[in-house]
Amino acid sequence: MKSDSFSLRVVSANEERFPYFLRKYSSPNFSQLLDFQWIKKSKIHVSMTLAISESGEAYSLPQSPFGGIWVEESISLEALLEFIQAVLERLKEIKVHLVRVIQAPKQYEEHSDLISYALQESGFHLEKLTSHQFFIGKKRIGKFVQKSLPKYLSKLKENNLNVRINPIQNFSFLEEIRLWNGQKGYEMNFDENRLIQQVSEYPERYFLISISDSRQEKSIAHSLAVKLTPNSFYYYLSAIDPKSQAKGLGEILLMYLFKLAEKHKAEFIDLGSSESEAGPNHSLIFFKSRFSNDISNKSSWSCLIK
């Protein structure tokens, strides 16, 4: 389909290489993973990856922190609206009747506010806003580490604790994460096989931060740091042994996430959302506020295709 010299190209997402590498991963319930590209003069101006199910649903993206529309070259609102309409028409042709989109926060896609407006104007219904806390600024991350790290180094020494930051060599830590969070009554909704596949294909994107008690020679806290994009880190799957008597383990995990981000010259850190089905976790939001300087929403949208 063409509109004012733009054309819609649809290709297998597995043929593409994206900065946000999770655009390449669908789930078992979806049979196709397609990238919809708005092309002008051989350049991709806008794109969106959609997982297509055999039951006629399209999702950007299932079992991922977010998906959504990505602006890669300058684009007008008019051209963005035409792109969405062209995508909907193509989806109708392949018998898709429902589209769901989780639009990335503005730190990942600076045009997210414009995109959300375009989705609304295109007939999409806003289903949910999810708040993410961020720490933004490469220099600010460095200054934060320089100012705060000495205090935590003293805490580690006083409590006989060690911290390790390593690429993932094995996945035994996942059993401890499930156990510790289960003992606290938290549900862990992640697909272990999917995670293992992603780590295997992109080992340079995943880091395990672990705290151990040197007296007992056992781990007492874990967290994953994920480079969702080359310039960022995402805080994921944190857990602390509820039987540990050590204090401030959550702060130490975050401090070493900042240290890792500084080493990799990250431009921002995404501390994720702090909510469950019951609503916002206010104590967790307050805790993360000490390590964040910005808040942004990811938005979840749906549209029925008639």
Side-chain angles (χ1 to χ4, degrees):
M1 174 169 294
K2 294 185 177 180
S3 176
D4 296 335
S5 74
F6 280 96
S7 62
L8 183 67
R9 181 169 68 191
V10 183
V11 298
S12 170
N14 293 317
E15 300 173 6
E16 304 296 302
R17 191 139 184 112
F18 305 111
Y20 175 47
F21 71 103
L22 293 183
R23 285 179 71 177
K24 289 188 67 172
Y25 288 90
S26 184
S27 74
N29 298 324
F30 294 82
S31 57
Q32 296 183 79
L33 193 64
L34 302 176
D35 198 57
F36 294 74
Q37 305 168 350
W38 205 221
I39 307 292
K40 183 177 182 180
K41 295 182 179 179
S42 301
K43 284 188 176 182
I44 302 172
H45 283 245
V46 187
S47 65
M48 176 168 57
T49 301
L50 285 160
I52 314 295
S53 74
E54 293 182 358
S55 62
E57 293 187 6
Y59 207 136
S60 181
L61 285 165
Q63 292 185 306
S64 297
F66 48 80
I69 295 173
W70 302 88
V71 175
E72 302 177 39
E73 296 284 341
S74 60
I75 195 80
S76 67
L77 173 61
E78 182 180 15
L80 184 57
L81 289 167
E82 290 171 346
F83 167 70
I84 296 172
Q85 185 59 39
V87 170
L88 292 176
E89 289 178 8
R90 179 63 63 87
L91 290 173
K92 185 176 181 179
E93 290 174 5
I94 60 174
K95 310 302 182 184
V96 170
H97 62 85
L98 176 65
V99 189
R100 296 186 184 276
V101 174
I102 304 176
Q103 182 60 40
K106 63 184 178 183
Q107 283 74 15
Y108 295 97
E109 171 48 75
E110 63 177 322
H111 301 89
S112 276
D113 286 345
L114 178 66
I115 291 167
S116 292
Y117 177 73
L119 288 169
Q120 176 184 268
E121 292 302 301
S122 299
F124 280 76
H125 170 69
L126 179 62
E127 294 186 330
K128 185 178 182 181
L129 290 175
T130 305
S131 177
H132 280 225
Q133 288 169 272
F134 291 85
F135 195 98
I136 299 173
K138 185 189 301 183
K139 290 183 179 179
R140 288 182 177 182
I141 290 171
K143 288 180 180 178
F144 186 87
V145 171
Q146 184 179 20
K147 177 182 177 181
S148 305
L149 186 60
K151 177 180 71 173
Y152 290 98
L153 291 174
S154 297
K155 279 188 177 183
L156 291 172
K157 187 176 180 179
E158 291 170 7
N159 293 280
N160 296 295
L161 301 176
N162 295 317
V163 180
R164 302 184 308 278
I165 305 177
N166 294 307
I168 297 173
Q169 304 296 327
N170 63 72
F171 295 88
S172 59
F173 70 94
L174 290 176
E175 295 179 15
E176 292 180 315
I177 286 178
R178 286 189 189 277
L179 174 64
W180 296 340
N181 281 322
Q183 290 172 344
K184 291 183 176 181
Y186 303 152
E187 290 187 15
M188 298 302 295
N189 296 318
F190 68 93
D191 185 330
E192 185 171 328
N193 292 329
R194 179 183 171 90
L195 177 61
I196 291 171
Q197 178 189 0
Q198 291 165 357
V199 174
S200 298
E201 188 166 345
Y202 290 90
E204 75 282 1
R205 297 279 194 135
Y206 287 86
F207 299 84
L208 177 62
I209 305 172
S210 296
I211 305 173
S212 60
D213 187 326
S214 59
R215 293 165 297 188
Q216 301 178 26
E217 296 184 349
K218 60 174 289 188
S219 296
I220 55 176
H222 296 300
S223 178
L224 280 183
V226 187
K227 293 186 75 172
L228 289 181
T229 57
N231 64 339
S232 69
F233 272 95
Y234 178 65
Y235 185 59
Y236 184 52
L237 285 184
S238 175
I240 296 170
D241 184 351
K243 296 178 182 178
S244 173
Q245 300 298 311
K247 304 296 183 184
L249 296 179
E251 294 179 27
I252 295 171
L253 287 174
L254 280 177
M255 188 69 250
Y256 276 80
L257 170 64
F258 274 71
K259 190 172 185 294
L260 179 66
E262 178 197 31
K263 179 181 177 181
H264 286 258
K265 298 179 171 56
E267 295 176 12
F268 66 90
I269 297 168
D270 182 356
L271 299 180
S273 62
S274 303
E275 59 184 71
S276 65
E277 294 296 328
N281 183 332
H282 295 289
S283 61
L284 184 56
I285 292 171
F286 177 75
F287 167 71
K288 289 181 181 178
S289 69
R290 297 158 57 193
F291 294 86
S292 63
N293 60 12
D294 198 15
I295 296 175
S296 183
N297 295 331
K298 68 181 180 186
S299 51
S300 299
W301 301 84
S302 67
C303 180
L304 287 171
I305 302 177
K306 300 178 181 179

